[in-house]
Amino acid sequence: MSVDRNSSETDRGPSGAEVLASLITAALENAKLGKTKDYDLLVQKLADPGIKEVHFQRYLMALTTCVSCLTKQHDTLVGAVLNTRWAVCGEKTVQEFIEFLTSLVSAQTYYLRACLHMIVKLFIPSISWDVQIRRADSEVSEKIFCNAHEALHAIHEVVPALPQFLIPVLSENFPFVGKPIIFQESYIKNLLQATKYLHSLRANILELIIDNLTKIDYISSPTGEYLADAGIELFNELLVYFSNSLLDICWKKIEEPNTPAVIRQAIAAYIASFTARAKYIPISTVQTCLDLMVHWIHCYIDTHDASCVTPDAGKYGPFYSVCQALFYMFVFRHKQLLELEGGEYDIMHFTCAVKGYKHNKLGSSQFIEPLYHVWEELEHNADGDGDDDEKDDQRKHSETYDEEDYLVSCRSPDAIIQGFTPDTLMCVSPGFTASPRR
């Protein structure tokens, strides 16, 4: 009985998928005996671009139950399924397809490379490169990319040996230099996205990207013009991603109490310098770092304040290093924070977070209270020195200072706190001059 003729009949009944599965199994067995009529009809049906989505779903459900029978002899059938436009279908069809994929590669590892090639090819937009490149249908492309990542992630969870097969496939499918820049751009962005769930392959994927970026110098456009240094945009994309990954790793080291204090202090100084000075670091990343630091500072006080008798940078060095890093970053990036839409709210949020803890926690904290006394004393002394004209001249002059000049020329408030400055300079963020001991 033909699979094609009975598919519509089995679709109507509640057990249609089961009946269809038995028919497919029979077709596969007959194909082994040389009776390929039903098998050929099945392949033809699945290769038909006009197949209804509801029918495609049921074929996928039936095939999922038959994966143990899909041996090497049935590669034309598997190929027909893999070549369908499943990634643009509805959510239910996509889920059925991914279920079929994971079942297939679990039962028949022979098809793993073919499945990986199919998924990775979806990382490149489906456009004709002999026409004017447009960013049209971007929503469709994003949907395809998203579904491709979901499928790859699912396979990764069921196939432990995926890493040794995936990197060669990624390398083989990397768009060659002669193709339009949008091909390389999309491919690299999707590779970077894949590193978020393929943690063990992150270093290999980044190496692959960098190796291919070095080859992208002059890329020909469809009109014959050459785009000089077309790889710069892609490099910047990689640079931002690398920076975020680096900051994430560094921050986890600070949060880990078993990390040696000297390393945590050095990392705090590095984060402060990196986020404050690197122009390519987006302000959103700076905001995230500030929020993380403020939260960590207060959690640290909650945990250690009861056992703290007096400020001790030797014992609580990481804490003071993160505090310095917080203020250092804020001083250097506050202008950009103010320029953001709703920047006033963001600044107020930050200052309220710091001041709020001063009144609610730090007012009685053994860590910070002496510092506020020092700042208030310095502020009071500044108000009492000189007449108004002299202070106005000093204020105007100070406004012309660059933030870096200001930080280099000013004394840190910890200068008059006995025992605050440790013997090591690790807690002093870059740009701050170490305070002399008294």
Side-chain angles (χ1 to χ4, degrees):
M1 184 176 292
S2 170
V3 174
D4 187 43
R5 291 195 303 271
N6 285 273
S7 62
S8 60
E9 297 176 10
T10 57
D11 287 344
R12 290 195 293 269
S15 59
E18 296 178 0
V19 175
L20 185 58
S22 64
L23 293 175
I24 292 176
T25 302
L28 297 178
E29 293 297 329
N30 289 334
K32 292 181 181 179
L33 301 175
K35 302 175 182 179
T36 62
K37 181 180 179 181
D38 287 346
Y39 176 81
D40 293 338
L41 287 173
L42 178 60
V43 173
Q44 183 180 356
K45 181 70 175 180
L46 290 169
D48 182 7
I51 185 174
K52 292 183 179 180
E53 190 168 332
V54 64
H55 292 166
F56 184 44
Q57 287 178 17
R58 291 169 183 171
Y59 274 106
L60 289 172
M61 294 172 63
L63 285 167
T64 301
T65 64
C66 304
V67 290
S68 60
C69 301
L70 294 175
T71 61
K72 296 180 181 180
Q73 295 176 316
H74 308 113
D75 56 357
T76 53
L77 174 59
V78 174
V81 178
L82 297 183
N83 287 329
T84 58
R85 290 181 54 81
W86 65 273
V88 297
C89 294
E91 182 178 355
K92 185 177 180 180
T93 304
V94 170
Q95 294 305 317
E96 292 292 346
F97 186 87
I98 293 175
E99 179 68 22
F100 166 74
L101 277 186
T102 54
S103 299
L104 178 66
V105 296
S106 298
Q108 305 288 348
T109 55
Y110 168 78
Y111 292 111
L112 178 59
R113 280 184 57 86
C115 292
L116 293 178
H117 273 286
M118 178 273 298
I119 294 173
V120 170
K121 286 180 179 179
L122 295 176
F123 290 168
I124 302 174
S126 299
I127 58 175
S128 176
W129 66 308
D130 58 349
V131 298
Q132 183 65 35
I133 300 300
R134 302 180 287 120
R135 294 190 182 272
D137 301 324
S138 59
E139 292 184 2
V140 176
S141 294
E142 289 302 320
K143 178 181 179 180
I144 293 175
F145 297 155
C146 182
N147 290 334
H149 283 293
E150 186 176 355
L152 183 59
H153 193 186
I155 292 178
H156 177 245
E157 291 181 339
V158 300
V159 182
L162 177 68
Q164 62 181 302
F165 292 96
L166 183 58
I167 291 300
V169 172
L170 294 177
S171 179
E172 292 168 15
N173 285 278
F174 208 104
F176 60 84
V177 174
K179 286 194 173 183
I181 187 63
I182 191 175
F183 283 43
Q184 288 94 354
E185 181 182 1
S186 296
Y187 195 76
I188 290 176
K189 285 183 177 179
N190 280 295
L191 292 188
L192 293 176
Q193 179 66 25
T195 61
K196 294 181 179 180
Y197 53 86
L198 300 175
H199 303 295
S200 63
L201 292 177
R202 178 176 294 178
N204 302 85
I205 292 176
L206 291 178
E207 181 181 358
L208 175 65
I209 293 174
I210 293 172
D211 181 60
N212 281 274
L213 277 176
T214 58
K215 302 174 184 177
I216 304 176
D217 186 16
Y218 291 92
I219 299 177
S220 176
S221 69
T223 59
E225 299 175 353
Y226 284 88
L227 307 178
D229 296 327
I232 292 178
E233 182 181 353
L234 302 179
F235 177 77
N236 290 336
E237 186 89 24
L238 176 62
L239 193 61
V240 171
Y241 179 82
F242 171 77
S243 302
N244 290 339
S245 299
L246 178 62
L247 289 172
D248 181 61
I249 294 172
C250 288
W251 183 249
K252 287 178 180 177
K253 288 290 184 181
I254 290 179
E255 289 185 313
E256 175 53 56
N258 293 327
T259 302
V262 67
I263 294 178
R264 297 168 77 189
Q265 292 174 257
I267 290 175
Y270 178 79
I271 290 177
S273 178
F274 187 47
T275 56
R277 303 302 187 93
K279 295 181 179 180
Y280 57 83
I281 298 293
I283 195 63
S284 59
T285 300
V286 178
Q287 288 178 296
T288 300
C289 290
L290 291 175
D291 288 340
L292 287 172
M293 286 181 172
V294 168
H295 178 73
W296 183 89
I297 287 170
H298 300 293
C299 289
Y300 192 95
I301 292 174
D302 288 338
T303 304
H304 300 281
D305 194 46
S307 61
C308 179
V309 178
T310 184
D312 186 350
K315 185 176 182 180
Y316 305 110
F319 170 78
Y320 294 111
S321 295
V322 174
C323 289
Q324 278 192 311
L326 176 74
F327 297 127
Y328 182 78
M329 291 163 57
F330 182 77
V331 166
F332 271 88
R333 302 299 290 264
H334 73 279
K335 289 184 178 179
Q336 289 176 281
L337 291 168
L338 286 169
E339 291 171 357
L340 289 174
E341 183 178 355
E344 183 177 353
Y345 170 80
D346 292 328
I347 294 295
M348 291 301 295
H349 172 74
F350 173 81
T351 54
C352 286
V354 175
K355 291 182 178 179
Y357 286 118
K358 171 189 173 183
H359 297 306
N360 298 333
K361 295 182 181 179
L362 301 187
S364 59
S365 172
Q366 299 300 321
F367 287 104
I368 302 298
E369 187 174 13
L371 291 178
Y372 281 104
H373 289 170
V374 171
W375 292 337
E376 290 169 359
E377 181 181 345
L378 291 174
E379 192 176 74
H380 176 73
N381 292 339
D383 290 340
D385 293 339
D387 54 26
D388 293 340
D389 292 338
E390 183 178 354
K391 287 194 293 183
D392 288 341
D393 291 340
Q394 291 176 349
R395 187 181 303 109
K396 291 178 181 178
H397 179 66
S398 66
E399 289 175 354
T400 64
Y401 272 21
D402 180 81
E403 290 94 338
E404 182 175 0
D405 295 332
Y406 174 78
L407 289 172
V408 171
S409 62
C410 286
R411 289 192 310 161
S412 177
D414 64 309
I416 55 176
I417 297 180
Q418 294 293 336
F420 177 75
T421 305
D423 293 331
T424 175
L425 296 180
M426 284 299 184
C427 76
V428 180
S429 300
F432 285 89
T433 55
S435 303
R437 281 195 180 277
R438 292 193 171 186

